[in-house]
């Protein structure tokens, strides 16, 4: 018996994407909101109110958005599987030939492809077609509730980090402190997300940090312009 072991992370794709997106959005949107209001000359009380409102509204929006979008994906997958189940009942020989043709197109000789298709369909016909024809695998199936909770929770955690900074730094250095702290949080988030997904750590770190810095810089500029005009 072979002792070879492989560890893949495809089963993490759904929740990891939602969690990273939620935390990143929470940090960037709340930090940008705080920086924009502060750059416009807002008082600490107004900044706290704006940041808190942004946290709550953002978390609810992320949860609702993820649930709706992932539910649509889940509905499509369910409909495709139902259609495939009907086709397997109505035309099993045609479905066998279709599956064998897929394997032959990948380089398997015709006789072996038909044998493999027959054996896989004998064990789990729908699973074989879902995986190889529809590209639907159990680990990558859409999970709306999981995605919604992951997004809302991660957004809340991400948004809380720049908001808490407001309470621990003097108002004179608020913009710099929130920006620096948020960039640090984003760098850690990018590294952790890449590490969890078995991707290149530095690439995830740079990507998340760069776009976060860009968003905060633009918001600070707009806040300063508006603050000077009103």
């Amino acid at each position: 018996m072979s002792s070879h072991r492989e560890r893949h992370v495809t089963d993490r794709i759904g929740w990891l994407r939602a969690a990273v997106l939620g935390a990143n959005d929470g940090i960037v949107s709340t930090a940008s909101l705080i920086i924009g209001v502060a750059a416009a000359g807002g008082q600490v009380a107004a900044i706290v109110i704006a940041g808190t409102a942004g946290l709550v509204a953002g978390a609810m929006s992320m949860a609702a958005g993820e649930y709706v979008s992932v539910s649509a994906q889940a509905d499509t997958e369910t409909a495709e599987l139902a259609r495939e189940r009907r086709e397997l009942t109505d035309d099993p020989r045609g479905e066998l030939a279709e599956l064998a043709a897929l394997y032959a197109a990948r380089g398997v000789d015709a006789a072996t492809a038909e044998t493999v298709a027959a054996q896989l369909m004998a064990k789990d016909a729908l699973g074989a077609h879902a995986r190889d024809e529809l590209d639907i695998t159990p680990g990558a199936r859409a999970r709306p509730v999981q995605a919604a909770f992951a997004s809302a929770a991660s957004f809340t955690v991400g948004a809380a980090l720049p908001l808490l900074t407001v309470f621990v730094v003097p108002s004179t250095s608020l913009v710099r402190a929130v920006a620096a702290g948020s960039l640090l949080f984003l760098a850690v988030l990018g590294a952790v997300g890449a590490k969890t997904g078995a991707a290149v750590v530095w690439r995830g770190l740079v990507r998340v940090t760069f776009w976060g810095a860009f968003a905060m810089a633009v918001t600070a500029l707009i806040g300063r312009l508006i603050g000077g005009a009103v």
Side-chain angles (χ1 to χ4, degrees):
M1 180 181 294
S2 173
S3 60
H4 179 64
R5 293 282 189 275
E6 290 187 356
R7 297 176 61 119
H8 297 285
V9 295
T10 52
D11 59 330
R12 305 175 185 171
I13 290 175
W15 67 262
L16 179 60
R17 180 193 65 84
V20 171
L21 175 62
N24 181 81
D25 196 15
I27 295 172
V28 174
S29 62
T30 307
S32 298
L33 182 61
I34 290 172
I35 290 172
V37 175
Q43 300 299 311
V44 173
I47 294 172
V48 171
I49 292 171
T52 303
L55 184 155
V56 175
M60 295 302 99
S61 176
M62 287 292 293
E66 280 290 326
Y67 184 81
V68 170
S69 63
V70 179
S71 291
Q73 179 186 342
D75 291 343
T76 300
E77 291 176 350
T78 300
E80 286 293 299
L81 290 173
R83 177 182 176 183
E84 195 64 33
R85 190 179 289 108
R86 290 193 301 270
E87 291 176 348
L88 286 167
T89 301
D90 296 340
D91 185 17
R93 293 186 63 83
E95 290 300 302
L96 173 62
E98 183 179 34
L99 193 61
L102 289 173
Y103 299 144
R106 297 175 187 174
V108 180
D109 67 82
T112 303
E114 186 170 352
T115 300
V116 171
Q119 291 178 348
L120 290 175
M121 287 184 63
K123 180 178 181 181
D124 182 8
L126 182 61
H129 280 270
R131 180 178 60 253
D132 295 319
E133 181 185 349
L134 304 178
D135 197 25
I136 298 175
T137 57
R141 287 292 303 275
R143 295 178 174 85
V145 175
Q146 182 189 66
F149 274 109
S151 292
S154 57
F155 183 97
T156 300
V157 172
L161 297 174
L163 183 58
L164 290 174
T165 305
V166 178
F167 295 96
V168 297
V169 300
S171 59
T172 53
S173 58
L174 184 60
V175 172
R176 292 190 298 274
V178 170
S182 297
L183 290 177
L184 176 61
F185 300 146
L186 286 171
V188 173
L189 173 65
V192 170
K195 184 70 174 178
T196 305
V200 180
V201 173
W202 71 263
R203 186 176 299 161
L205 186 154
V206 171
R207 180 171 55 232
V208 172
T209 306
F210 171 80
W211 287 109
F214 178 78
M216 285 184 279
V218 171
T219 308
L221 176 61
I222 293 174
R224 191 172 297 277
L225 290 175
I226 293 176
V230 297

